[in-house]
Amino acid sequence: MFRLSGVFYIEFLKTLHTQLAPRGYLEIGTASGNSLAVADCNAIAVDPEFHLAGPATGNRRRSLLFQMTSDDFFATESAPALLGRPVDMAFLDGLHLFEYLLRDLIGTEASCHSRSLILLHDCVPSNTRMALRQF
């Protein structure tokens, strides 16, 4: 079985949130909420079907969950307006196909400022099976 080495992505996200202290966070593809749970700042989560496994909202003052596709979110909502400021950090973990990630990146970038950090998850396949268009 193939196993990736390095720091688990949730720990990496936690470290980034601690070190950078973003004030506005956007997450596309939240699923269980484990990655959302490490954000301490006001946050927006977008997922067409949430399956929150635990306390994904933490101690945040504001957690906004949008149960819709990211395409619908970017077509109907404004992350900066919802947060009261541009997005400082974003984590894109939606559908793992190029065209979807590209649209998520374009929509997210429009919600950011020049020093924002946008993190892309699962976009470089580490084996042939991961590169298949059908999961």
Side-chain angles (χ1 to χ4, degrees), residues 71-89:
D71 287 340
D72 288 344
F73 175 81
F74 290 120
T76 62
E77 305 295 335
S78 166
L82 292 165
L83 293 170
R85 58 172 295 102
V87 172
D88 291 322
M89 184 188 296

Side-chain angles (χ1 to χ4, degrees), residues 21-111:
R23 294 181 288 167
Y25 177 69
L26 172 64
E27 184 168 286
I28 306 295
T30 300
S32 67
N34 293 332
S35 51
L36 180 62
V38 302
D40 290 330
C41 60
N42 290 339
I44 297 171
V46 180
D47 196 292
E49 192 174 329
F50 288 103
H51 295 283
L52 301 178
T57 58
N59 293 323
R60 282 189 298 282
R61 184 169 181 202
R62 187 184 304 167
S63 298
L64 303 169
L65 306 180
F66 289 84
Q67 191 158 288
M68 60 177 57
T69 67
S70 56
D71 287 340
D72 288 344
F73 175 81
F74 290 120
T76 62
E77 305 295 335
S78 166
L82 292 165
L83 293 170
R85 58 172 295 102
V87 172
D88 291 322
M89 184 188 296
F91 181 55
L92 307 184
D93 191 19
L95 287 177
H96 300 144
L97 297 173
F98 170 79
E99 60 272 22
Y100 290 96
L101 181 59
L102 179 60
R103 289 198 305 260
D104 289 347
L105 181 61
I106 291 168
T108 299
E109 192 273 336
S111 301

Side-chain angles (χ1 to χ4, degrees), residues 107-128:
T108 299
E109 192 273 336
S111 301
C112 292
H113 54 77
S114 63
R115 296 184 49 95
S116 297
L117 176 64
I118 301 174
L119 303 151
L120 311 177
H121 189 252
D122 290 339
C123 61
V124 178
S126 56
N127 59 50
T128 305

